[in-house]
Amino acid sequence: MTVQELPGTAAYRPTPPPAWKPLTDPAPLLPDPEPYRVLGTEAAAEADPELLLRLYAELVRGRRYNAQATALTKQGRLAVYPSSTGQEACEVAAALVLEERDWLFPSYRDTLAAVARGLDPVDALTLLRGDRHTGYDPREHRIAPLCTPLATQLPHAVGLAHAARLKGDDVVALAMVGDGGTSEGDFHEALNFAAVWRAPVVFLVQNNGFAISVPLAKQTAAPSLAHKAVGYGMPGRLVDGNDAVAVHQVLGEAVARARRGEGPTLVEAVTYRMEAHTNADDATRYRGDSEVEAWRAHDPIQLLERALTGRGLLDEERIGAVREAAERMAAGLREQMNADPVLDPMDMFTHVYEQQTEQLREQAARLRAELEAGHDESGAEERR
Amino acid sequence: MTTAAAAVGERTGSVRPATMAQALGRALRDSMAADPTVHVLGEDVGTLGGVFRVTDGLAKEFGDDRCTDTPLAEAGILGAAVGMAMYGLRPVVEMQFDAFAYPAFEQLISHVAKMRNRTGGAMPLPITVRVPYGGGIGGVEHHSDSSEAYYMATPGLHVVTPATVEDAYGLLRESIASDDPVVFLEPKRLYWSKAAWSPEAPAAVEPIGRAVVRRPGRSATLITYGPSLPVCMEAAEAATSEGWDLEVVDLRSLVPFDDETVAASVRRTGRAVVVHESSGFGGPGGEIAARVTERCFHHLEAPVLRVAGFDIPYPPPMQERHHLPGVDRVLDAVARLQWEAES
């Protein structure tokens, strides 16, 4: 089917000049009407056992990480934590599908993807603890800083992938964004640039149902978020975001496509945020228990566990070992997070410019004098 | 040989009149030739050579990959530049017109300005954002804004603006070589100002962060930058007939700010007027006047005055001559420096 044959498009399209012809046939770009699934289908029997077990271990570890981080907010050890419980399949698949040389561009909810990629669990949390904006060297891990503004990291992923290709490097960038983020202008600009430049980028939209409290129906009128890809001239893929194998497969194909120089792909993973937006949010105000329960029956860990058990790849002993490893990770995280970070206030002035301006030197000297005099802002009350 | 290079006398090394736009183009060309990681991107920078022809010839000489016509999307342009810089390139972005840069503000403020800080120094972004700014060229609305105060208010950015052909070349080369992001404000109405200049032997210029005294004087200091420098130079000449010997300081760099040169001048002269064409309220002049007052209070014979654009959205082109501070308005301010406490 060509563009002209699409129903309803002929009316507003001007008569093209003789040389004009459509560059793309949109049909191959369109997502399937239903999210792609592997688990629970016959295809599950063919999935690589090693990959299944690896995904499983990471899912369990991720779930435990989310629970531990949420507990740390209650103890005041984290300023805030946006949990990805329920979305672990997307997080883990995004991390595992990349080669070491590739880059990950996470949003603020994607701590887990960074950890699954190998980042130290504590280093991934410094932003949310409030001691350092980015607790790691992005170049060392090829993980961009967790991005708080919505969708603004997407054009970075495009620029980086473009630069890598210009340099002749075989590098793919995977950028993560939520359903709400797809409404932002930067989402549009990033997808457009990526498609025009045929940049080796994969966009992963985790459609978790809500942007804080706003449901998808109030976010977009598109048939699906994956459909948005067509307008940019890139394929859109719809996948069950709770099916770790399916997400890994779809992302894997998109990454391979990007690596072959065939350009970007938009993947929409349909999933659900089981917890509130963050610990500061009350999800009962905007959604009912029955909805949450329905999604609980479609839990990513249970889905994979069932498939693994069904194929005889998992038994109680193995499950116990995976849980134990996750528990050890959580205990280590707890222990390290319970130690107060040692901070040097002078660091605030160190990394604004390569060389401190005279003005910053003066301000740093003033703070140093205040500290040496033994008072700081929190002590101001007592002096009055 | 590019058009810009031909005009400024490549090969012969001869000193010929060159415009500021040509010197800027030459700075881009020389930076790209010297460093293969320098990439120019923006709307119309390639085939057209930029709407002001600053990038003329670059795509031809260095190819589309080094001088890239992008889709029309400022946030996308700057956002892509962030990613390119993260991967080790040195992007130079053109914003075409001052008010066109506003869609890119979030990228500039949330990412470009902060990436070094956010990553504890691990990931500096060597990006130069070229913004043609200011009025006086008869542009319709959204083509004449002076947006320097917004940039100045954002820690992490250098804010630089040349007023001479030599500085246009030198400051742009330095900005591109800087490992920190630089907002490089190009005064549109000086694009066609000329000076005898040779690209083979560009005049040695002061580095980013230094102000220079363009005209020494004893009785008052005019503190200015960019498009208002020629206005102040003319005012200083005119003021001699009134017995005023005015010193003119060209800031060149708004961030970092050269307190030392400015304060030393005002301490010598005892009087100061800050001149710029952006709006006065919340504008650069207020900051500069405050800094001067803090450092020179006991040397001041009069309050530090400001001559600025009015606090109005940039007016239609047929009105802009009333808005832009001209020589007379500067001279009026200088006359008010004969300040008496009871007045």
Side-chain angles (χ1 to χ4, degrees):
Chain A
M1 189 162 56
T2 67
V3 172
Q4 281 125 321
E5 288 164 358
L6 280 177
T9 57
Y12 66 85
R13 194 182 289 284
T15 311
W20 187 89
K21 57 176 195 272
L23 292 174
T24 8
D25 172 4
L29 306 181
L30 284 164
D32 293 331
E34 287 299 312
Y36 176 72
R37 293 194 172 92
V38 174
L39 299 177
T41 74
E42 283 174 15
E46 288 157 30
D48 173 25
E50 205 179 317
L51 174 68
L52 294 183
L53 287 168
R54 183 142 180 245
L55 286 171
Y56 179 72
E58 284 294 341
L59 285 185
V60 172
R61 196 168 82 109
R63 173 74 45 97
R64 187 65 191 87
Y65 185 92
N66 276 326
Q68 186 57 61
T70 302
L72 287 165
T73 63
K74 291 174 183 152
Q75 294 156 27
R77 282 293 174 184
L78 283 179
V80 66
Y81 185 72
S83 168
S84 59
T85 294
Q87 304 177 216
E88 292 95 340
C90 302
E91 299 285 319
V92 162
L96 297 194
V97 83
L98 296 178
E99 301 286 339
E100 205 177 320
R101 62 187 178 281
D102 296 332
W103 274 74
L104 182 73
F105 286 78
S107 82
Y108 59 88
R109 196 181 297 285
D110 303 319
T111 322
L112 206 56
V115 173
R117 185 158 166 75
L119 195 62
D120 180 274
V122 173
D123 291 346
L125 283 176
T126 60
L127 170 75
L128 301 163
R129 174 160 67 179
D131 58 326
R132 295 175 68 186
H133 296 315
T134 304
Y136 56 92
D137 180 342
R139 283 207 180 92
E140 184 189 337
H141 298 275
R142 278 147 322 269
I143 302 172
L146 297 169
C147 189
T148 309
L150 294 186
T152 53
Q153 82 279 22
L154 305 184
H156 305 173
V158 177
L160 181 133
H162 176 65
R165 205 173 52 146
L166 290 179
K167 284 189 170 186
D169 294 345
D170 178 26
V171 165
V172 174
L174 192 157
M176 304 173 78
V177 67
D179 42 305
T182 64
S183 299
E184 293 278 4
D186 280 44
F187 174 82
H188 158 66
E189 299 193 19
L191 265 68
N192 191 47
F193 269 66
V196 171
W197 285 354
R198 287 174 79 88
V201 190
V202 176
F203 300 100
L204 170 60
V205 178
Q206 290 184 70
N207 171 7
N208 68 10
F210 294 88
I212 304 191
S213 68
V214 178
L216 190 72
K218 290 186 181 177
Q219 195 69 243
T220 180
S224 79
L225 298 172
H227 274 82
K228 290 179 183 251
V230 184
Y232 299 101
M234 72 174 78
R237 293 287 171 257
L238 195 56
V239 61
D240 181 340
N242 286 21
D243 181 338
V245 185
V247 182
H248 189 272
Q249 221 173 81
V250 170
L251 286 179
E253 283 161 16
V255 166
R257 189 174 171 272
R259 225 187 280 289
R260 287 195 303 268
E262 292 168 29
T265 305
L266 172 65
V267 177
E268 176 189 356
V270 183
T271 181
Y272 196 77
R273 157 161 61 74
M274 298 304 290
E275 307 289 335
H277 166 62
T278 68
N279 52 302
D281 164 42
D282 175 9
T284 62
R285 293 178 74 110
Y286 53 85
R287 66 186 192 190
D289 288 345
S290 60
E291 183 181 311
V292 181
E293 286 315 307
W295 276 94
R296 209 178 293 287
H298 193 60
D299 181 83
I301 297 181
Q302 284 174 26
L303 287 179
L304 189 53
E305 210 168 87
R306 230 175 283 146
L308 279 162
T309 317
R311 281 177 61 181
L313 296 168
L314 202 61
D315 53 24
E316 283 307 316
E317 194 184 334
R318 200 138 191 183
I319 292 174
V322 166
R323 286 188 185 155
E324 218 170 281
E327 213 47 59
R328 277 197 303 278
M329 180 278 304
L333 178 60
R334 207 162 48 231
E335 193 182 333
Q336 289 179 79
M337 292 295 287
N338 277 328
D340 288 325
V342 180
L343 303 177
D344 180 357
M346 289 306 132
D347 280 349
M348 292 196 297
F349 301 98
T350 309
H351 303 298
V352 183
Y353 298 100
E354 185 181 23
Q355 289 174 337
Q356 270 181 13
T357 60
E358 186 53 39
Q359 290 79 22
L360 284 183
R361 273 197 294 274
E362 281 172 19
Q363 291 163 29
R366 192 184 314 155
L367 177 60
R368 190 185 299 282
E370 284 175 13
L371 293 171
E372 280 166 7
H375 59 75
D376 58 31
E377 286 303 309
S378 62
E381 269 315 295
E382 293 164 30
R383 292 203 309 277
R384 285 202 192 103
Chain B
M1 199 186 327
T2 66
T3 314
V8 294
E10 192 184 40
R11 291 189 185 131
T12 63
S14 63
V15 176
R16 285 200 239 164
T19 66
M20 181 182 278
Q22 287 164 343
L24 290 165
R26 182 63 191 227
L28 290 171
R29 186 221 166 258
D30 289 355
S31 295
M32 292 173 86
D35 180 353
T37 67
V38 175
H39 284 243
V40 169
L41 63 158
E43 164 80 357
D44 300 313
V45 297
T47 309
L48 184 68
V51 295
F52 294 106
R53 303 294 181 268
V54 171
T55 57
D56 195 18
L58 297 179
K60 206 169 178 188
E61 184 170 354
F62 298 100
D64 292 344
D65 284 344
R66 296 280 307 278
C67 179
T68 308
D69 274 333
T70 63
L72 203 170
E74 288 75 13
I77 296 168
L78 191 51
V82 170
M84 290 165 75
M86 287 171 85
Y87 204 76
L89 299 185
R90 218 166 256 282
V92 184
V93 160
E94 178 177 303
M95 284 296 168
Q96 199 160 91
F97 280 96
D98 33 57
F100 296 5
Y102 301 151
F105 255 48
E106 185 178 16
Q107 285 293 341
L108 187 72
I109 285 157
S110 295
H111 293 295
V112 175
K114 291 179 183 165
M115 193 65 86
R116 174 188 286 279
N117 188 258
R118 289 170 75 206
T119 60
M123 188 170 265
L125 295 180
I127 298 174
T128 303
V129 186
R130 294 180 40 239
V131 186
Y133 82 121
I137 63 160
V140 295
E141 60 170 353
H142 308 299
H143 290 74
S144 299
D145 286 17
S146 295
S147 30
E148 56 267 35
Y150 306 139
Y151 304 119
M152 287 172 70
T154 304
L157 301 176
H158 288 305
V159 185
V160 166
T161 178
T164 68
V165 173
E166 290 82 0
D167 260 358
Y169 181 86
L171 281 176
L172 185 51
R173 296 270 339 235
E174 269 200 52
S175 299
I176 295 169
S178 166
D179 278 342
D180 282 322
V182 180
V183 175
F184 192 88
L185 298 166
E186 300 176 359
K188 285 197 287 289
R189 63 174 148 136
L190 300 185
Y191 269 147
W192 302 281
S193 63
K194 284 187 178 178
W197 177 73
S198 161
E200 266 65 41
V205 292
E206 292 288 324
I208 290 176
R210 295 266 178 75
V212 296
V213 175
R214 294 284 179 207
R215 184 191 192 281
R218 289 174 292 104
S219 42
T221 302
L222 301 180
I223 305 164
T224 191
Y225 56 87
S228 293
L229 178 66
V231 175
C232 288
M233 295 299 279
E234 200 184 328
E237 284 308 313
T240 54
S241 63
E242 303 287 325
W244 287 94
D245 179 18
L246 298 178
E247 182 149 307
V248 179
V249 173
D250 174 7
L251 293 173
R252 304 171 70 253
S253 162
L254 297 169
V255 182
F257 188 82
D258 187 351
D259 283 305
E260 204 182 317
T261 300
V262 172
S265 172
V266 178
R267 283 184 191 134
R268 277 196 300 275
T269 63
R271 292 176 170 87
V273 182
V274 189
V275 183
H276 59 65
E277 68 177 60
S278 77
S279 297
F281 190 86
E287 175 65 30
I288 295 165
R291 305 188 79 83
V292 169
T293 305
E294 285 172 4
R295 281 164 183 77
C296 312
F297 185 69
H298 293 293
H299 300 264
L300 286 172
E301 306 288 341
V304 180
L305 299 180
R306 285 169 292 164
V307 177
F310 296 128
D311 299 329
I312 56 172
Y314 198 86
M318 293 177 78
Q319 301 268 37
E320 68 179 350
R321 69 184 187 283
H322 303 301
H323 170 71
L324 294 172
V327 171
D328 288 347
R329 210 170 281 162
V330 175
L331 291 175
D332 283 350
V334 169
R336 279 192 284 136
L337 289 175
Q338 295 284 28
W339 186 78
E340 287 171 29
E342 54 273 55
S343 65

